[in-house]
Amino acid sequence: MNNSDQNYVKWFRNAAPYINAHRGKTVVLMFGGEAVLHPNFANIIHDISLLRSLGVKLVVVHGARPQIEERMAQRNIERIIENNIRVTDADTLSAVKDATGSLRLHIEALLTTGLANSPMHGSRIRVSTGNFVIAKPMGVRNGIDYKYTGTVRRIDSEGINMQLNYGSIVLLSPIGYSPTGEVFNLALEDVAAQTAIALNADKLITLTYDEGLLDETGQLIKSCSVRRVKTLLDDKDDHVRQLLLRAIIQSGENGVERCHCVSYQSDTALLQELFSRDGAGTLIAKDHKEELSTATIDDVAGILELLAPLEAEGILVKRSRELLEVEINQFIVLKKEDMIIACAALYPYPDAKMGEVACVAIHPDYRKGNRGGRLITALEDEAKQLGLSAIFVLTTVSGHWFQEQGFIEQPTEKLPEGKQKLYNFQRKSKVFIKEI
């Protein structure tokens, strides 16, 4: 087997946990009409097909802004924008219907491709479209009648879930229907966010021109909270970027656990983001009411109180207040209303590019809700920032839990040399290591 084959097998094995994690999950995938025009769109269609074949329940929401602009220019229809919102009169609505209808048919045709020499050979994807989006008029605001421009009133989540359970991909356009039989022009971002919220989707994925969300200096933000996204909102931003950020914020604040932002220009970004450890774009996690932060000297008493029962049982090695005060910067704490409900520590071994996870403790009343997983993820992020390539833990009773977090049992010889010299053979702790 050559190196290329070995690398492929290694990647496939590493992707297996992510494949299992995403199977059966509901994902709303959103992209604008610009993505459809890009040469890489054929690869995106192939990746959508692959996601469906891996058991992901997919709702695809497409935009059509450039296609609408093209139709309006061809028909010499005046473009009316008020407060960054398109006023949709009867002529404009005709162009909207034409553009979105043609685009929807184009995407359906691409998803139906099944030629023998195509990556989608044998996929047999069913695409479902329909009147799943119920809309209402935006109405008259500040004296301006927006006519057939509307907002989402309700998403037919029951109808969409029925199609998803049949194995279909649901394709939604940026138009909605009213109970009075009218058609309204909607914002892509409004449809995607409201759909993700109504379905209680596991993820909202947005495909954008940039590689993800960029900070104030233009650098990619690899991961952040919804709270951080709010700080990116700027009145000077173009309206489309504001709509994108607000869709992410609205989704995260209304139950969607994860949002991802990746580039439609990359032929690997979507799959890399979902099926690799480091991802490719920006991961936005829902804010938690419990705050995770680096410990300070004021947290010493709370950490000691949390560790004391575990030290009394011999599960953790006892630490004095003096030692904890010296090492306090190694700890992270999870607080709820200023009460420390969980903690953990990371001790780096830079020469071995490894870090030791220690003192993982959770208050008995809060041991549900994956708080331990949040602690480990935070320590992994910290270890990566320190340039470490693996983390390890020594434990006598929690081996199974650490295995569930991705750690693998290893002999003591795998420990950093400095840690081997300190290993307590009387405790007979087992060694678990996780590559990061």
Side-chain angles (χ1 to χ4, degrees), residues 172-313:
L172 301 180
S173 299
I175 56 174
Y177 308 89
S178 74
T180 59
E182 294 176 292
V183 177
F184 288 96
N185 180 24
L186 307 177
L188 154 70
E189 296 79 5
D190 186 25
V191 175
Q194 294 301 328
T195 301
I197 293 167
L199 296 176
N200 194 25
D202 298 282
K203 292 180 183 292
L204 169 67
I205 301 176
T206 68
L207 299 179
T208 63
Y209 179 84
D210 296 317
E211 56 183 326
L213 297 184
L214 308 181
D215 64 15
E216 296 80 357
T217 66
Q219 298 298 308
L220 175 67
I221 301 171
K222 292 293 292 182
S223 62
C224 66
S225 65
V226 174
R227 192 180 300 110
R228 173 77 171 94
V229 178
K230 288 182 178 180
T231 67
L232 300 177
L233 276 172
D234 191 332
D235 291 338
K236 297 178 183 177
D237 282 340
D238 64 86
H239 183 58
V240 174
R241 174 176 161 82
Q242 285 194 32
L243 287 174
L244 169 68
L245 295 177
R246 293 187 188 282
I248 292 171
I249 293 167
Q250 190 175 23
S251 299
E253 289 183 337
N254 288 277
V256 180
E257 290 285 340
R258 295 284 187 272
C259 295
H260 299 262
C261 188
V262 296
S263 176
Y264 60 71
Q265 297 190 85
S266 168
D267 66 348
T268 62
L270 179 56
L271 298 184
Q272 189 178 340
E273 178 71 11
L274 295 179
F275 299 111
S276 71
R277 183 184 296 117
D278 296 327
T282 303
L283 165 64
I284 304 102
K286 184 177 73 172
D287 289 333
H288 293 270
K289 294 181 180 178
E290 301 157 2
E291 183 180 358
L292 189 64
S293 61
T294 302
T296 68
I297 197 70
D298 295 331
D299 297 322
V300 169
I303 294 174
L304 284 172
E305 185 178 345
L306 202 60
L307 298 180
L310 299 175
E311 293 174 345
E313 295 180 36

Side-chain angles (χ1 to χ4, degrees), residues 57-95:
K57 296 180 178 180
L58 271 175
V59 179
V60 176
V61 186
H62 75 86
R65 289 189 180 104
Q67 289 81 2
I68 292 171
E69 293 290 343
E70 181 184 18
R71 297 302 197 284
M72 292 179 66
Q74 290 172 351
R75 302 176 188 184
N76 295 317
I77 299 172
E78 182 184 0
R79 183 173 182 261
I80 306 173
I81 303 293
E82 296 286 354
N83 299 315
N84 291 318
I85 300 172
R86 187 193 302 277
V87 176
T88 309
D89 58 17
D91 290 337
T92 302
L93 182 62
S94 176

Side-chain angles (χ1 to χ4, degrees), residues 392-394 408-412 415 423 429-433:
F392 67 89
V393 64
L394 277 68
I408 299 174
E409 186 173 357
Q410 301 283 7
T412 56
L415 291 172
Y423 182 80
S429 299
K430 292 185 178 182
V431 176
F432 294 87
I433 298 176

